[in-house]
Amino acid sequence: VQSGIATDTVAADNQTLVSETAGTTVTSDGLCVDNAGNADTSASVGPVKIDKTAPVITGVATPAANANGWNKTSVSVTFTCADTGAVQSTIDIDTVAGDNQNLTGQTTGTTVTSDGQCVDKAGNSDTFASVGPIKIDLTDPSVAIVSPATGLVTVAESIAVYGTASDDPSGIDNVKVNGGPDAIYSSGAWSSMVSLACGSNTITAVATDVAGRTTTSGSITVTRVCASSLTYYQPIDQSTTTPVVNTGKMGRVIPVKVTGTLTLGGSPVAMTEAFLNANGLTLHIDVNFASCNGTFSADAVETYADAGSSNGNTSQFRWSTSQWIYNLDTGRPPAVTMTVNQCYRLDVMLRDSSGVQILLSSGPGGGTYALFKPTK
């Protein structure tokens, strides 16, 4: 039997839950009385759980690409679901794992897409994610030294090394020679200056492509010959710290005689004709202006050559038994042009097959050198 409601105050407790919640209980503290005087003063609904945030499909490529955006190995792409937001009802349906892929071939930009479904227990869903573009280079670059040829002997402190390098598909990032700075690279060709130590030098080039793969070239050997010692003999007397000016009559031919040693990074070797010929080296003399001022001792040239000049008026020395001799022609054309009472340094130069030369004599202030002053 229902007598009907006499008093109803529970309507004021009605609520609309609009925020996410992991379990809210809504309670009525109003009064509900029927016409017979019966009453109810308490009721609750809950817990009420609300998840409004959709889960997220995330794709990850492993390993990650390098700073240039390239991989040098195969790449695995894995898709996973994650429930997010302040309230998480957790994953109920996850079908994205079937979209995982292993990329084992070269590619210049593949995008891997997931079309699986990710649904949480509240019914929110996410159905799409992509990873890419993925760029994979599985091919090592190629690199080669073109010049100089192995076995070069030089007197230079440094030489230019030239070569080629190529790579597909990522391209060449850099070429380094003997671990030095990046070589100059353009359109498949590179060049680099390489410093040489006295003696044997092994030179290799390493090419690195944009993906980070490397290749080392075949090596070449370059030998640098360095100055060690030089000695002048009469009739030209040598100078060291104190100048000795050799004087002789203008127009005469004066023998300049020297011996020396060279270094290949170890014990000095004799500067013989056989050694120079075997390594494509030649001796030359340079006649250069020098100051006659200051403290010096004068020394007259003791003897003169019989006639003529050295090797057809070139500046090249000739080997005689155990020493090098250059006939300095001070007069007849095409002799060295000199001025009476002007001092000249007689500098001995060592030249390699490419025309690079170094000064064997040195000074003043150290080392050995020779001065000559023509007189009337």
Side-chain angles (χ1 to χ4, degrees), residues 279-332:
N279 292 287
L281 304 171
T282 52
L283 278 182
H284 298 260
I285 191 166
D286 279 357
V287 180
N288 299 304
F289 285 110
S291 174
C292 290
N293 298 325
T295 302
F296 60 87
S297 61
D299 182 83
V301 171
E302 289 81 0
T303 59
Y304 295 94
D306 292 335
S309 59
S310 174
N311 297 319
N313 293 306
T314 69
S315 61
Q316 190 170 1
F317 280 83
R318 58 184 172 85
W319 175 259
S320 177
T321 309
S322 61
Q323 62 184 350
W324 295 92
I325 300 176
Y326 172 75
N327 289 333
L328 176 64
D329 191 340
T330 65
R332 294 181 298 277

Side-chain angles (χ1 to χ4, degrees), residues 46-134:
V48 178
K49 296 182 286 186
I50 303 173
D51 179 0
K52 293 183 175 183
T53 305
V56 175
I57 300 174
T58 302
V60 177
T62 306
N66 67 11
N68 297 318
W70 280 84
N71 288 86
K72 63 180 181 179
T73 62
S74 298
V75 174
S76 295
V77 178
T78 304
F79 292 98
T80 58
C81 289
D83 202 13
T84 62
V87 175
Q88 301 171 8
S89 60
T90 71
I91 302 300
D92 186 36
I93 301 173
D94 178 359
T95 60
V96 297
D99 296 319
N100 296 342
Q101 289 190 33
N102 291 320
L103 303 182
T104 58
Q106 294 194 145
T107 173
T108 57
T110 295
T111 298
V112 179
T113 301
S114 166
D115 56 6
Q117 189 176 38
C118 180
V119 183
D120 66 18
K121 290 185 177 181
N124 304 301
S125 65
D126 188 10
T127 59
F128 176 80
S130 65
V131 177
I134 297 170

Side-chain angles (χ1 to χ4, degrees), residues 202-213:
T202 300
I203 299 174
T204 57
V206 176
T208 302
D209 66 19
V210 175
R213 303 184 75 92

Side-chain angles (χ1 to χ4, degrees), residues 3 16 28 63 82 85 91 103 143 155 161 177 202 208 223-224 268 287 290 359 367 371-372:
S3 62
T16 300
S28 169
I91 302 300
L103 303 182
V143 61
V155 298
V161 179
V177 182
T202 300
T208 302
T223 299
R224 178 187 170 193
V287 180
L359 178 67
L371 293 175
F372 175 75

Side-chain angles (χ1 to χ4, degrees), residues 108-267:
T108 57
T110 295
T111 298
V112 179
T113 301
S114 166
D115 56 6
Q117 189 176 38
C118 180
V119 183
D120 66 18
K121 290 185 177 181
N124 304 301
S125 65
D126 188 10
T127 59
F128 176 80
S130 65
V131 177
I134 297 170
K135 297 183 286 184
I136 302 174
D137 182 354
L138 301 177
T139 304
D140 291 337
S142 64
V143 61
I145 296 175
V146 175
S147 174
T150 190
L152 172 70
V153 178
T154 182
V155 298
E157 294 182 359
S158 61
I159 59 170
V161 179
Y162 299 90
T164 59
S166 62
D167 179 75
D168 184 69
S170 65
I172 294 295
D173 182 64
N174 65 76
V175 177
K176 294 181 183 293
V177 182
N178 281 12
D182 289 0
I184 298 172
Y185 177 82
S186 177
S187 302
W190 56 265
S191 64
S192 179
M193 291 300 299
V194 178
S195 298
L196 300 176
C198 297
S200 180
N201 295 262
T202 300
I203 299 174
T204 57
V206 176
T208 302
D209 66 19
V210 175
R213 303 184 75 92
T214 62
T215 298
T216 302
S217 71
S219 63
I220 64 170
T221 299
V222 174
T223 299
R224 178 187 170 193
V225 179
C226 299
S228 181
S229 68
L230 186 73
T231 302
Y232 292 81
Y233 297 91
Q234 289 186 343
I236 295 295
D237 293 277
Q238 66 186 15
S239 300
T240 52
T241 55
T242 301
V244 176
V245 177
N246 297 275
T247 58
K249 291 184 178 181
M250 175 70 85
R252 305 300 297 269
V253 178
I254 304 167
V256 181
K257 303 177 181 181
V258 299
T259 62
T261 58
L262 305 170
T263 178
L264 300 177
S267 299

